[in-house]
Amino acid sequence: MKKIRIGTGAGYSGDRIEPAVELIEKGNLDYIIFECLAERTIAIAQKEKLKDKTKGYNPFLEERMLKVLKIAKEKNVKIITNMGAANPKAAMLKTAEIAKQLGIRNLKISAVYGDDISHNIDKYYDYEILENNKALKFLKDKIISSNVYMGCEGIVKALEECADIIITGRVADPSLVMGPLLYEFGWKQNDRNKIGQAVLAGHLLECAGQVTGGYFADPGYKEVPDLHLLGFPYIEIDENADFFITKVDGSGGIVSEQTCKEQLLYEIHNPHNYITPDASADFSKVQFKQLEKNKVKAFGASSHGKPDTLKVSVGYKDCFIGEGEISYGGTNAFNRAKLAADIIEKRLKLIKAEIEEYRVDFIGYNSLFRDIISNKITDLKFPEIRLRVSARTKDYKNARLIGNELEALYTNGPAGGSGVRTYTEEVVSICSIFIPKSEVKYIVDFMEV
């Protein structure tokens, strides 16, 4: 029975590179995916592309390709990644340049795009924003990016054309795995269980080290060995969609029923109806079985079929954030930090700073849980405390006032303040709309080295 292996080389934009190299060297893989896009990531990439038309792809693309291209070619491992972000074509050109630099020949590189609908976003101004039920035209003067979550169709097409490296824009995370599975096994939408299993496989792999114990680790409660050497996962799957998930022998971390269950529930909203561009999956009957150490079988997923709409992530210029931090230590540290916070609040009112939202955190005491919980789990005696003050404003000038006032505490009291850091930045936020799937067309370009 035909079987293939797919591994994960990255689970977010800035992930480590060593586990990917380890997987390619030792995992006997057929494919490796690099999942490197988040909602805000691609909006930020669009800003970079506006400044420089040759940019807009993942900032670590060059570093990763330098490390993995040669060994992937030697091991005959195909690379599929969404590191193209806002500019897959430029990423393809850069990858080809790196391949030539490394002396690699007979390499076919593909760019898959069509997700960017910024050129006709005005067509959807009357569509409702998922997060606030307002019409999209409410944000029309602030929009900087509009990217559709595409499915795996473009990836399948690239594989049919014998691509070795496939670089996409905004495709859904599981689609990076769905693509090679549908290409290799020819599954159709009426193969409901197989399609569901394919989405499950992609979902378990998409965040890399999360399923091998990274986000699972909690010392004394959930122990994970050699976390500093955390290995990334791979699956072995056959034409019946039976698969197990594991990692390379000797790598750090664990693969267990528990780590798989945690990853299963990550970001799926509704286990009965996990909507992706390729299928609306049903994970409600999924089970995991430990076959041996660090090897878990996953089964029981199914599909309700393809959705009729696709999600669009719309990036827009939202606001400015001004913030500052300062530390107090020793006797009476908490009271001095509270006095400092009181001074800043009064000063901002005095100078008439225009602030939309304002927040004070005492890091180490209430920055996570706020006072209603924090007061119950501490005696309010601290050897050190770090004050953080932040505010949301409409412009840079008012945001900068936050840091200015906090920095002034150095000499204007209270006593013992140190380690001041201030930040002022423009915030790109994300909202979502849904558009008809029929209105989105993928494009596949190729070049050979």
Side-chain angles (χ1 to χ4, degrees), residues 69 73 91-110 162-165 167 446-449:
L69 275 184
K73 178 65 174 176
M92 176 178 67
L93 292 170
K94 178 56 68 174
T95 301
E97 179 185 314
I98 293 169
K100 292 175 184 177
Q101 176 186 332
L102 295 173
I104 301 171
R105 295 293 180 267
N106 301 315
L107 196 70
K108 191 169 186 178
I109 306 168
S110 174
C162 302
D164 301 296
I165 314 293
I167 304 172
F446 299 92
M447 67 180 303
E448 297 188 36
V449 177

Side-chain angles (χ1 to χ4, degrees), residues 297-420:
K297 181 178 181 180
F299 56 99
S302 61
S303 165
H304 301 299
K306 273 191 177 185
D308 296 322
T309 58
L310 294 177
K311 180 180 177 181
V312 183
S313 283
V314 179
Y316 62 97
K317 294 181 178 181
D318 188 8
C319 64
F320 286 82
I321 296 292
E323 61 181 301
E325 298 177 2
I326 187 170
S327 293
Y328 294 92
T331 304
N332 213 29
F334 191 25
N335 286 327
R336 280 182 283 131
K338 287 195 289 186
L339 175 57
D342 182 62
I343 291 169
I344 292 175
E345 186 170 0
K346 289 176 178 175
R347 284 286 307 168
L348 291 171
K349 290 179 181 177
L350 184 68
I351 63 176
K352 295 182 171 56
E354 296 177 12
I355 292 172
E356 295 181 329
E357 293 181 43
Y358 185 72
R359 177 173 173 130
V360 174
D361 292 298
F362 299 100
I363 298 173
Y365 161 53
N366 72 348
S367 62
L368 290 180
F369 302 117
R370 311 306 295 159
D371 298 351
I372 192 169
I373 295 177
S374 298
N375 287 341
K376 296 179 180 179
I377 58 177
T378 179
D379 58 7
L380 300 182
K381 295 178 181 178
F382 300 91
E384 59 187 60
I385 202 81
R386 187 158 179 85
L387 169 66
R388 175 183 179 269
V389 177
S390 59
R392 171 191 173 108
T393 69
K394 289 182 178 179
D395 57 38
Y396 180 90
K397 179 182 176 181
N398 280 282
R400 186 71 188 93
L401 295 175
I402 312 304
N404 291 348
E405 287 298 330
L406 189 135
E407 194 168 25
L409 297 176
Y410 260 143
T411 54
N412 291 280
S418 62
V420 169

Side-chain angles (χ1 to χ4, degrees), residues 240-293:
N240 289 328
D242 293 325
F243 75 89
F244 62 80
I245 186 165
T246 185
K247 64 184 186 68
V248 170
D249 288 343
S251 62
I254 57 172
V255 180
S256 68
E257 293 180 16
Q258 290 74 27
T259 66
C260 291
K261 287 175 182 177
E262 284 200 6
Q263 177 60 27
L264 175 72
L265 297 174
Y266 175 72
E267 287 189 338
I268 63 169
H269 184 63
N270 182 355
H272 290 274
N273 192 30
Y274 173 44
I275 302 174
T276 79
D278 299 304
S280 296
D282 187 345
F283 289 169
S284 62
K285 295 181 176 62
V286 168
Q287 297 181 56
F288 297 103
K289 182 180 180 181
Q290 194 84 41
L291 300 178
E292 56 187 69
K293 184 179 179 182

Side-chain angles (χ1 to χ4, degrees), residues 209-218 222 224 227 230 262-263 266:
Q210 282 192 188
V211 80
T212 51
Y215 202 69
F216 177 82
D218 193 349
K222 297 184 292 183
V224 177
L227 205 55
L230 185 67
E262 284 200 6
Q263 177 60 27
Y266 175 72

